[in-house]
Each structure stands twice: as structure tokens, then as C-alpha cells.
Amino acid sequence: MRTSMLLLVAIVILNVSMTDGKKDRNRCRHLSRKVSKCIRKGYEPRMLTQEMLEGCKINPKDLKKNIAMKCAMQEKRLSLNTCSPLCKKEKTTPPDNCPKKTVQQCTSQPGQVFYRGMMLPIFYTGISTMEACVEKCRNVAGCVAVIHVPKQARCFTKNERHNPLSPDIHPSRTAYSLEMSCLEECQN
């Protein structure tokens, strides 16, 4: 009886600690987005450490008083939490002698697509090749993946919130997907 009771208490404690960790990560993600948005608007952080701001491009601008106050409040909340750095560090580039993967090598099998992470406009028309779709993504801020539908000459751009590859729910179309980060990888 005691053993089962202790086991039950241990499971409850473990579950609560795991839930708290997830809440902390979500809180950090939410606050980080808010403060990052403020920085992009021209807010200059005063409370965050250099470590938290590493990699951030800060271009201070005069903000309306109410916006500056909201940003300062979000910064204070973020500084009170133990969150990871705000700005993503620059990706390390592979050595020059490393031949990069091609569009063809990075393109998924037909019928595999990324759901969610839709960007506006939802799709571009007149894009007849995957290479042209990739080039379109390179010119769209925040684009990290694409879906190309050759028969319709459509290119769907996706942001970082897209889901992993999964089977297309539209079996009548042939769609190909590509994650842009794959193009930076070395060929095997």
C-alpha cells in the first residue's frame, strides 16, 4: 500500500514538473516574440544582458510613448524569466570545399507536403519549376520552405511554423516540397 502511494505521489510530482517546464518554454517563446518585435520597431533594450541580445541588430528609433512603455514592460517580464537568447545566432557556414546539396537532392518525393506555416500571398502563380519556387522563397522574408505544384504552376511559401512533411490530403495533385535549410547542407 505504501509503495503504491509513494509511486503515485512520484508520478504526480514528475507530471507537474514536466508541465511547468512546458509552460516556462511557452512563456519564454511568447515574451521573446514580443520583445523581438519591439526591437524590430526600434526599441532599445535596457535591462537585458549582452548574452540575451547576442546576434540582435538593434537600430534605436523614437517610438511613441505608449509603445515604448509596452516594450519596456515586456522586456522586464522577459528579464525576470530564465529564457534563451532572443536573436538566433548566425548559422555557421560549412567549409567552401563542401559542395552544397542541389534543389533536386533536397526535393521531397511527390505527395509529401508541409502543412501550416502558410504565408501571404497563399501561393504564387506562373512558377513552373521547383528552382523558380526556391528562388521566390529566397526573395520572401521569413520563407523557410516551399511546396511546388507543377501542373498548376503554383508555389506555396512556408514560414518556420510549418509542420513536418506529411502525406498530401489532395491525392489528385502532384506536389513536391523542399526545406531551404537543406540547400546549405553538404553533399554526402
Side-chain angles (χ1 to χ4, degrees), residues 14-183:
L14 182 63
N15 194 20
V16 168
S17 67
M18 287 173 63
T19 305
D20 287 345
K22 187 174 182 181
K23 285 181 184 176
D24 289 343
R25 280 193 308 275
N26 287 340
R27 185 179 307 117
C28 280
R29 190 178 306 134
H30 175 74
L31 290 171
S32 293
R33 283 185 190 146
K34 294 244 183 207
V35 174
S36 293
K37 186 176 179 182
C38 285
I39 290 172
R40 283 193 304 274
K41 286 181 178 180
Y43 177 74
E44 186 175 9
R46 292 177 180 82
M47 291 179 260
L48 298 177
T49 63
Q50 283 300 114
E51 185 179 299
M52 280 290 287
L53 295 171
E54 186 177 347
C56 293
K57 294 177 183 168
I58 300 172
N59 298 320
K61 296 177 187 169
D62 288 333
L63 297 174
K64 291 181 180 177
K65 189 175 181 178
N66 63 335
I67 293 175
M69 287 175 54
K70 284 181 183 178
C71 289
M73 188 170 62
Q74 296 298 337
E75 180 189 7
K76 183 176 181 180
R77 287 181 183 154
L78 182 65
S79 68
L80 295 174
N81 287 283
T82 52
C83 301
S84 57
L86 270 180
C87 302
K88 294 179 181 171
K89 295 178 183 170
E90 295 296 316
K91 292 181 181 177
T92 55
T93 55
D96 290 337
N97 60 356
C98 159
K100 304 282 192 298
K101 287 187 177 179
T102 64
V103 170
Q104 186 177 6
Q105 290 170 321
C106 291
T107 301
S108 71
Q109 295 296 317
Q112 296 288 311
V113 296
F114 299 111
Y115 286 105
R116 304 196 86 188
M118 194 87 48
M119 298 180 74
L120 295 176
I122 295 174
F123 60 85
Y124 296 91
T125 57
I127 311 281
S128 58
T129 65
M130 179 58 98
E131 287 78 6
C133 193
V134 166
E135 197 54 42
K136 176 59 81 177
C137 184
R138 285 186 175 132
N139 294 318
V140 174
C143 180
V144 299
V146 294
I147 298 172
H148 183 243
V149 183
K151 285 186 180 176
Q152 297 173 343
R154 288 184 177 170
C155 177
F156 296 79
T157 54
K158 300 288 184 165
N159 63 31
E160 74 277 352
R161 293 185 179 145
H162 69 77
N163 287 348
L165 276 176
S166 46
D168 194 351
I169 59 171
H170 305 287
S172 61
R173 73 176 183 184
T174 304
Y176 300 88
S177 300
L178 179 142
E179 203 152 15
M180 298 298 285
S181 61
C182 175
L183 297 171

